[in-house]
Amino acid sequence: MDLDNVAIATEIGKLADLLEFSGANSFKIRAYRNGARVIKDFPDSFTTMVHNDPSKITAIQGIGKGVAEKITQLIELDNIAEIDELLEVIPVSVLDLLRIPGLGPKKAAALYQTLSIQTLDQLQAACEDGQVQELKGFAAKTEQSILDGIAIAAAANSRIRWASADKLAQTLLEHLRACPAVERIELAGSYRRGRETVGDLDLLVISTKPADVMDCFAEFPEWEQTLVRGDTKMSIRVLNSFQVDLRVVQQESFGAAWQYFTGSKDHNVAVRGHAKQLGMKVNEYGVFKVDGDEEIQVAGATEQEVYEVLGLPHFAAEMREAREEFQWAEQGALPELIELSEIQGDLHMHTTATDGKATIAEMVAAARERGLQYIAITDHSQRVSIARGLTAERVVQQWEEVDRFNETIEDDFRVLKGIECDILEAGGMDLPDEVLALADWVIASVHFGQKQSREQITDRIVGALENPHVKIIAHPTGRLINRREAYQVDMDAVFQAAQDNRKMLELNANPARLDLHDVHCAAARKREIPLVISSDAHSVAGLDVMQYGIVQARRGGLTAANVANTQPWEKIQQWFTS
DNA sequence: GCCGTTTTCGGCCCGACTGTTTTCAGTCG
């Protein structure tokens, strides 16, 4: 069966969950978990590798004989035998129990084995009956915290988009900076790594008065509940049950703590393993030389020195995912990640001609304010009737307007004649070729027929890439984060078609899209397909989402050289014909 | 189960906090 890497990783992860529940060796479980992560993050299709070159699979760091065998089974036989065997003795619903905060595999297994609890409903009933507190290792407090946790587990999808987390983060910073005991405050965790969704916020504070800082933390206006509070560590829930963790450290440990709390967990495991080989130990207080029983601190105040004493480069936070960063470091080939200031133009935006809120002149003025040197006006084509998409006649009129506008410009700023042209359900473009031929910049995108089969959608997109006038595919997978899954599409085929036809792909910077996602960005980079990071702005303010696209691009390991709109427009044009 | 310029066997990151415990297991990040 043709499965994408995410689907394969999900199955391997499920195997890890089931093994953990059944009390298997913890290192074996970790190996499967690690394998699942490696699969999910890998830029090439495992299905393709199984079909064409299975020996490549075990060459991948973290994938050995065991995981490779499970992958092959899954693709060739549609299922993994060991999962089926485990499911004969463990009902799949018990895995829901693990979603309750504070309830891990040991306690969940105890509940299943002694009280035959299989579902959240049964667990709730048992708690309310007072049965749970009778069990060994459980007591009244545990029972209550399980009851509280069930309510939280029910409120699924607690990860919020990065841009939303950013808003909350800024208000938290503002609140805590007003606290006199706070000497310095920084954000860490997946927020700092720029993950597209964030499950909690991690705050790190330098202070000699942790208790004062924590008191202040509890006074945050959106505070709902304090989960834990110790001497240096405190967790609260804020509005909508979102969790925020706070850690207070001393100046001399700040770098080590920041490194530690930024993660990712897997990145840190690798860093610590590396330190161990050098006879050193890393924890959140510093780096220590281990000499018998003696430990001498050799770094800790800054992140730079933490990495430096370990012989490692100061990795950008966005690349700390235990993906390729250690290989890059070893080869001295750490990419210099793209910065927002390197963007020279924005090649996807809408105006009042369709569903935008601003005119061409207003978009130009706003783009200039943001330091851009060119923009493309790319309104919708006629198929998007709800947005009053442009007919051939109207788009030609708009382009004449753009020509006239360009004549009024006295410097080098340039407005490009563009169109976001729909790829029709039956295949083919929404405007005739002779019209598209008049444009500077033709974006092709799928808006309708997103429920079609993988073959149909893939054919439509590949067909668009073969059209000589199309330059780029917008939001290539159609996903909306936390709202709509990507449509079924064979990205390997899309990448191949982009390469074969010398076309580009978009990284749509809208925080709800971020499409392509980081792993696809890395895949495009590897295949040397240029990406264009675009705002897809529907208003003046919409231009500012470019920053979110940059974060995602950095997570994909992209440099300015991988992103076409870091170049002047002339260079982009030349690329298509060179 | 994975991995290897100290290892093909014997390791596998490290500490805070909680609750149920009389010194520690489980969970979390």
Side-chain angles (χ1 to χ4, degrees):
Chain A
M1 192 157 63
D2 269 17
L3 292 171
D4 65 21
N5 290 354
V6 173
I8 297 168
T10 303
E11 284 303 298
I12 300 292
K14 187 168 159 190
L15 177 55
D17 287 344
L18 289 165
L19 284 169
E20 184 170 38
F21 195 85
S22 60
N25 176 289
S26 61
F27 295 110
K28 182 173 168 178
I29 296 160
R30 183 195 292 180
Y32 277 122
R33 287 254 157 79
N34 191 47
R37 183 184 51 81
V38 169
I39 294 164
K40 180 172 69 66
D41 290 348
F42 205 71
D44 296 327
S45 155
F46 275 85
T47 297
T48 307
M49 281 189 279
V50 166
H51 291 327
N52 298 344
D53 194 0
S55 64
K56 258 166 84 177
I57 297 177
T58 45
I60 299 166
Q61 187 75 224
I63 310 279
K65 211 167 130 262
V67 175
E69 208 175 283
K70 302 287 189 268
I71 297 169
T72 308
Q73 256 184 44
L74 181 61
I75 287 165
E76 290 183 345
L77 309 171
D78 276 6
N79 66 345
I80 297 173
E82 195 174 354
I83 291 185
D84 291 347
E85 286 161 21
L86 285 162
L87 284 177
E88 279 176 23
V89 286
I90 304 170
V92 69
S93 61
V94 296
L95 298 181
D96 288 345
L97 305 182
L98 299 176
R99 282 171 34 221
I100 298 172
L103 196 63
K106 295 272 160 47
K107 284 203 161 88
L111 290 166
Y112 174 58
Q113 278 150 19
T114 55
L115 297 176
S116 306
I117 287 169
Q118 298 185 14
T119 67
L120 289 174
D121 285 345
Q122 290 170 356
L123 179 57
Q124 179 160 6
C127 286
E128 283 164 356
D129 265 10
Q131 289 177 41
V132 170
Q133 58 173 295
E134 302 298 325
L135 299 180
K136 186 173 156 57
F138 293 76
K141 277 196 176 172
T142 305
E143 191 176 73
Q144 187 55 47
S145 88
I146 289 173
L147 274 174
D148 295 341
I150 289 172
I152 292 162
N157 200 6
S158 56
R159 296 190 72 86
I160 62 176
R161 289 179 196 150
W162 190 90
S164 312
D166 185 44
K167 287 203 179 75
L168 175 62
Q170 300 312 321
T171 60
L172 276 159
L173 286 185
E174 197 182 333
H175 174 75
L176 283 165
R177 282 195 176 122
C179 170
V182 172
E183 289 167 38
R184 179 175 174 188
I185 180 163
E186 295 290 350
L187 286 147
S190 57
Y191 169 84
R192 184 174 175 223
R193 300 200 311 280
R195 275 191 60 172
E196 59 192 37
T197 61
V198 175
D200 61 22
L201 280 175
D202 298 286
L203 295 165
L204 187 64
V205 167
I206 297 183
S207 175
T208 50
K209 296 173 185 157
D212 289 3
V213 177
M214 290 184 193
D215 288 346
C216 180
F217 192 38
E219 285 161 12
F220 182 61
E222 292 178 16
W223 175 95
E224 250 181 23
Q225 181 194 2
T226 294
L227 297 168
V228 297
R229 177 170 174 164
D231 293 336
T232 64
K233 193 179 153 182
M234 176 166 164
S235 295
I236 66 169
R237 285 193 189 282
V238 299
L239 223 55
N240 300 321
S241 295
F242 195 75
Q243 185 170 333
V244 185
D245 299 333
L246 173 85
R247 185 74 177 255
V248 184
V249 297
Q250 304 297 303
Q251 182 109 45
E252 59 269 25
S253 296
F254 184 78
W258 206 16
Q259 192 281 328
Y260 169 69
F261 286 106
T262 297
S264 67
K265 192 174 172 218
D266 295 302
H267 175 87
N268 286 351
V269 167
V271 167
R272 291 171 179 206
H274 177 73
K276 209 163 189 170
Q277 286 189 334
L278 300 174
M280 295 195 256
K281 187 178 93 170
V282 181
N283 59 28
E284 59 262 57
Y285 300 106
V287 183
F288 302 85
K289 237 186 194 107
V290 184
D291 188 7
D293 284 344
E294 212 180 2
E295 288 180 356
I296 305 154
Q297 182 163 356
V298 291
T302 68
E303 271 194 337
Q304 280 89 340
E305 67 178 39
V306 166
Y307 281 115
E308 199 182 326
V309 295
L310 298 171
L312 294 169
H314 186 220
F315 298 105
E318 294 93 335
M319 60 171 74
R320 300 184 197 170
E321 295 287 348
R323 290 179 181 171
E324 294 178 272
E325 70 269 27
F326 295 105
Q327 273 163 274
W328 288 335
E330 208 172 315
Q331 298 159 359
L334 209 62
E336 203 164 302
L337 301 182
I338 184 171
E339 311 256 0
L340 180 60
S341 60
E342 293 176 300
I343 294 291
Q344 294 197 21
D346 192 337
L347 291 170
H348 186 167
M349 67 187 65
H350 299 266
T351 71
T352 47
T354 60
D355 56 352
K357 301 275 190 293
T359 62
I360 295 174
E362 288 164 340
M363 293 307 272
V364 168
R368 282 178 177 279
E369 279 172 27
R370 288 159 180 77
L372 300 182
Q373 287 157 32
Y374 56 91
I375 60 170
I377 299 298
T378 56
D379 273 308
H380 290 290
S381 61
Q382 55 195 0
R383 175 67 182 83
V384 191
S385 50
I386 195 160
R388 297 186 303 115
L390 302 177
T391 59
E393 193 185 347
R394 283 178 65 211
V395 75
V396 169
Q397 280 171 10
Q398 187 186 49
W399 290 338
E400 287 165 4
E401 188 187 342
V402 170
D403 280 337
R404 286 195 298 275
F405 190 92
N406 274 323
E407 281 167 22
T408 68
I409 296 177
E410 291 178 351
D411 58 12
D412 291 338
F413 193 93
R414 179 86 189 269
V415 186
L416 304 165
K417 294 176 283 187
I419 180 79
E420 181 181 10
C421 186
D422 257 61
I423 304 171
L424 299 172
E425 287 98 314
M429 303 301 292
D430 188 26
L431 289 168
D433 277 2
E434 54 270 29
V435 173
L436 297 180
L438 303 173
D440 297 314
W441 186 247
V442 177
I443 300 174
S445 44
V446 169
H447 287 115
F448 296 93
Q450 297 200 13
K451 293 253 156 70
Q452 288 177 351
S453 72
R454 184 176 161 98
E455 290 68 28
Q456 277 177 299
I457 293 184
T458 304
D459 284 351
R460 286 166 69 193
I461 295 177
V462 168
L465 285 164
E466 287 169 351
N467 180 303
H469 307 297
V470 169
K471 299 283 197 278
I472 186 168
I473 304 293
H475 38 75
T477 76
R479 64 116 176 225
L480 293 175
I481 297 172
N482 279 356
R483 236 176 51 222
R484 183 176 75 204
E485 290 290 316
Y487 38 68
Q488 295 296 312
V489 56
D490 179 352
M491 284 305 291
D492 262 9
V494 172
F495 287 136
Q496 192 60 51
Q499 276 178 298
D500 293 346
N501 296 285
R502 201 163 174 80
K503 298 294 166 74
M504 298 183 180
L505 294 173
E506 182 182 77
L507 163 49
N508 190 295
N510 184 302
R513 290 194 182 269
L514 296 176
D515 182 8
L516 301 173
H517 63 51
D518 54 356
V519 174
H520 281 149
C521 286
R525 173 183 190 245
K526 200 175 152 194
R527 291 167 172 79
E528 297 182 345
I529 300 166
L531 293 177
V532 174
I533 308 178
S534 296
S535 70
D536 196 357
H538 284 68
S539 66
V540 164
L543 292 170
D544 291 325
V545 303
M546 185 67 81
Q547 56 169 322
Y548 307 124
I550 297 294
V551 173
Q552 187 82 337
R554 290 171 62 87
R555 287 183 57 81
L558 301 189
T559 68
N562 305 129
V563 176
N565 54 323
T566 61
Q567 303 297 314
W569 167 245
E570 292 69 29
K571 282 269 164 55
I572 297 178
Q573 268 182 310
Q574 284 164 16
W575 183 83
F576 286 101
T577 51
S578 62

